Amino acid sequence: MNKVVKNVEEALLGIQDGMTLMIGGFGLCGIPENSIAQLVKLNVRNLTCISNNAGVDDFGLGLLLQQKQIKKMISSYVGENAEFERQMLSGELIVDLIPQGSLAERCRAGGAGIPAFFTPAGYGTEVAEGKEVRVFNGKPHILEEALTADYAIVKAWKGDTEGNLIFKATARNFNPMMAMAGKITIAEVEELVPAGTLDPNFIHTPGIFVQRIFQGEKFEKRIEQRTTR
Amino acid sequence: MALDKTGIAKRIAQELQNGWYVNLGIGIPTLVANYIPEGIDVEFQSENGVLGMGQFPLEEEVDADLINAGKQTITVKEGASFFDSAMSFAMIRGQHVQLTVLGAMEVSQNGDIANWKIPGKMVKGMGGAMDLVASAENIIVAMMHSNKAGESKILKECTLPLTGVGCVKKVVTELAVMEIKDGAFHLIERAPGVSVEEIISKTEGKLIVPEHVPEMKI
């Protein structure tokens, strides 16, 4: 099945004010840069964004924050972003911080048809407030519910016309689970190839999880902490 | 003399055992990788999706797609593997990682840890810390004994929002190595030249001091 759309404009058709979006990436690594730039252009507002981080002030989801397009963020770590911190502390932005492993598993569960699961992470902390606690093997666990999104926007290294995806190195991170959890999943890839080009043995995300795929026009791939020896 | 950050990392590195998979947090814990004892074979896991982390890259090796959980550029060793975040935390929650080393703002005598939030002031988020501390069998905290105002961070009870409860087993500071058991800190070693009296005076939580407290060998 051909999933290819012409460009980023066509890929993001249908995204509207007030929707819930999942955005792949860890820090600035493996984020769908072209789609984020298009979201800024579209100026859709009141978004709920599920993403591990919130970018930096002038890149990644930070660009949407600058324009106040985000109403609520669901993330695990939001340091390195002064505008984010300002909006959060002033109450302009609703922020739901959840443990990183729970975030990943909640996305996976959302895509896998598992409505909720028990995890030990967060027991005895603010995160557990209002959540059911059960003891398994003598250890308390809290109930975490699955997450899904109207649109999941992920970034892969290579993809084919069927929507099969291969990620590179640590740019994989949240992208595979979010691809599973989107009602519509948009994949932006560095290299789009014909079906049959990628070895089926090495596909990370099978095309069934991807509804639209396009090759990004350019990738800046900004580095947050360039560390050398 | 109290240890510097490097000294704390060197002391923690002595805890590494052959065949362990180890997760190192941001800050002092990251430095531990530089002081693996001779003959000890360990692999470092980074929760953003890599096992077999190597040293920092040369300028020409820098790859934006290859970072650690602190978002620093890294390299990988031969035999490394990449995976997604759900699998990464399956390794952590499933107790396939033998040691977690992380920083803290406060630790209490029953092993509670606080390191992600100062209400009204600083909220960066817990990242993977809550998953790590809730699951790891073996958690070492690397931290300074006191805050900048000189107040002890080794407490009876944490005052900041918790990251995990009853999970920390060992604390290494610039002054001391302490084990946590039976609701108290147990002084195991002191930094070279640091007196037991100084450690007692800077520890707010219950501290059990044996008759003889050896100096750390760094």
Side-chain angles (χ1 to χ4, degrees), chain A residues 143-221:
Chain A
L143 187 68
E144 290 282 10
E145 292 184 11
L147 290 169
T148 55
D150 295 309
Y151 286 81
I153 309 177
V154 303
K155 188 261 164 179
W157 179 31
K158 294 181 182 180
D160 70 15
T161 50
E162 297 284 306
N164 294 306
L165 304 178
I166 295 177
F167 304 93
K168 188 175 152 221
T170 55
R172 191 179 324 181
N173 55 64
F174 282 82
N175 286 299
M177 288 81 65
M178 289 185 170
M180 293 167 68
K183 288 184 195 119
I184 294 176
T185 290
I186 300 161
E188 124 174 14
V189 300
E190 288 179 52
E191 197 183 335
L192 182 60
V193 299
T197 315
L198 302 176
D199 184 340
N201 285 301
F202 296 102
I203 299 296
H204 295 135
T205 290
I208 193 169
F209 296 117
V210 175
Q211 280 68 47
R212 303 175 190 172
I213 189 167
F214 72 101
Q215 185 169 303
E217 200 170 304
K218 72 172 177 60
F219 289 90
E220 182 181 340
K221 291 200 186 181

Side-chain angles (χ1 to χ4, degrees), chain A residues 96-119:
Chain A
D96 190 4
L97 288 169
I98 51 184
Q100 195 173 124
S102 299
L103 177 60
E105 195 65 16
R106 287 174 73 178
C107 295
R108 202 197 74 81
I114 294 179
F117 58 90
F118 282 97
T119 175

Side-chain angles (χ1 to χ4, degrees), chain A residues 53 76-78 97 99-102 119 121 125-126 139 168-170 172-174 221 225-229, chain B residues 56-57 59 62-63 65-67 71-73 82 84-85 89 93 117 123-127 131 134 162-163:
Chain A
N53 312 88
S76 86
Y77 187 83
V78 293
L97 288 169
Q100 195 173 124
S102 299
T119 175
T125 75
E126 284 179 11
K139 192 171 168 172
K168 188 175 152 221
T170 55
R172 191 179 324 181
N173 55 64
F174 282 82
K221 291 200 186 181
Q225 307 281 343
R226 177 181 288 269
T227 317
T228 55
R229 67 171 191 270
Chain B
F56 291 125
E59 192 59 46
V62 167
D63 179 353
D65 290 325
L66 183 50
I67 62 170
K71 285 118 183 173
Q72 295 171 305
T73 45
F82 299 121
D84 64 52
S85 302
F89 282 92
R93 268 189 253 95
K117 183 177 183 181
V123 189
K124 292 193 184 300
M126 66 291 284
D131 309 271
L162 295 179
T163 307

Side-chain angles (χ1 to χ4, degrees), chain A residues 13 67 187:
Chain A
L13 276 181
Q67 287 209 84

Side-chain angles (χ1 to χ4, degrees), chain A residues 70 116 141 226:
Chain A
I70 302 177
H141 293 70
R226 177 181 288 269

